[in-house]
Structure formats: C-alpha cells, structure tokens
Amino acid sequence: MTALHMRAATEADLAVIAALLADDVNGRAREDATPPLDPGYAAAFAAIDADPNQMLVVAESGGAVVGTMQLSFLPGLSFRGAWRGQIEAVRIASPLRGRGLGAAMIEWAVARCRERGCRIVQFTSKRTRTDAHRFYERLGFVASHVGMRRALD
C-alpha cells in the first residue's frame, strides 16, 4: 500500500464516493451508485462545495480513491462559543479495511479541526456498528452522549 493522500473531493469523484457509501451493510439499503447517479448526489456536492464550513474529502492511495468522509465545522455558543468538528460518512474500500487507512483519515480530520480552532471533534455512528465503535475508542473518542434522530418524510 502506497502512502495515503487526502484532498478535497471534486465532482469527478462522485461516482466512486457513492460506491464507497454503498459498500457496507447500512449503505447498501440507502445508496445507489448505479450510473447515471441520482441527481441528489450532484446537488449535495454543490451545496457542500459552496459552504466554507463543509469539506467533502477523498483519500487516495496509488492514484486511486480508497476512502471518503465529510467534515463539518459547526459554530456554537456552548463551551464559550467553541467550534465543533463533525466527522461523518467515513468509508474505506472494503478490500482495504483493517490496514490503518481509517485511522490515518481520522487523524488527518482531527488535525483539520484543530487548524480551524475546534475544541471538540464528534461524530455519529449507528448503534449496531460495534466494530466501528471499538475503532473510534482506540483513537481516543468517548461515547459521552446519546444521539437521537427523527426521519422526515
């Protein structure tokens, strides 16, 4: 495995990002990487790309995109006006999992959050993803809160 290179995603990366999002048990049920891509992917990319507090990221190795994640920088009043870094949709290509790429991506994301002055880095994860929870705990994250969500039709 060659070195991992992190960069901002471009619209040309959308097909591989959609495939990465669909490449797990949860994503298979909600994503569709079949060409042509649903226009919702391009619309979401445009919104993310236009917002200075959002960053869609790809990880490359050997010239190929092998991972993705989204970083959101959230202002808040709590903690005396502290910013938070939100890490979402972290994916590594399934044949490459378990090789340390995910840890390298997360450490890169944490460094970007520090650069932006964030005091907290957080993420959400499905309750059933126990392997992912152990992974994040090894990286120093603590399950300190209970998250809830409500689907809107």
Side-chain angles (χ1 to χ4, degrees):
M1 176 70 46
T2 60
L4 198 62
H5 170 69
M6 306 297 294
R7 65 172 174 80
T10 67
E11 193 167 3
D13 297 314
L14 283 180
V16 71
I17 292 170
L20 287 165
L21 292 172
D23 185 25
D24 79 10
V25 67
N26 296 306
R28 275 191 279 285
R30 64 178 179 241
E31 306 298 340
D32 183 2
T34 307
L37 286 180
D38 184 298
Y41 289 111
F45 175 81
I48 293 165
D49 197 45
D51 185 338
N53 290 319
Q54 302 291 327
M55 184 179 207
L56 185 60
V57 178
V58 292
E60 291 181 318
S61 181
V65 173
V66 298
T68 188
M69 69 181 151
Q70 181 175 343
L71 294 178
S72 299
F73 303 102
L74 310 170
L77 291 176
S78 66
F79 292 94
R80 299 180 185 161
W83 281 73
R84 295 171 189 256
Q86 178 84 16
I87 303 172
E88 289 294 332
V90 178
R91 298 290 191 285
I92 294 290
S94 55
L96 302 176
R97 292 179 189 150
R99 298 184 185 188
L101 300 177
M105 285 176 59
I106 296 300
E107 291 307 324
W108 183 91
V110 168
R112 300 299 73 76
C113 292
R114 279 195 179 103
E115 288 172 0
R116 289 284 302 256
C118 296
R119 294 205 32 224
I120 299 166
V121 179
Q122 61 191 24
F123 65 93
T124 61
S125 180
K126 273 184 98 77
R127 190 180 307 269
T128 57
R129 301 185 110 191
T130 55
D131 289 342
H133 302 163
R134 284 191 294 276
F135 164 76
Y136 287 110
E137 287 169 353
R138 283 194 304 271
L139 296 177
F141 288 86
V142 177
S144 61
H145 290 65
V146 173
M148 302 180 100
R149 63 191 268 176
R150 179 178 171 184
L152 303 176
D153 300 323

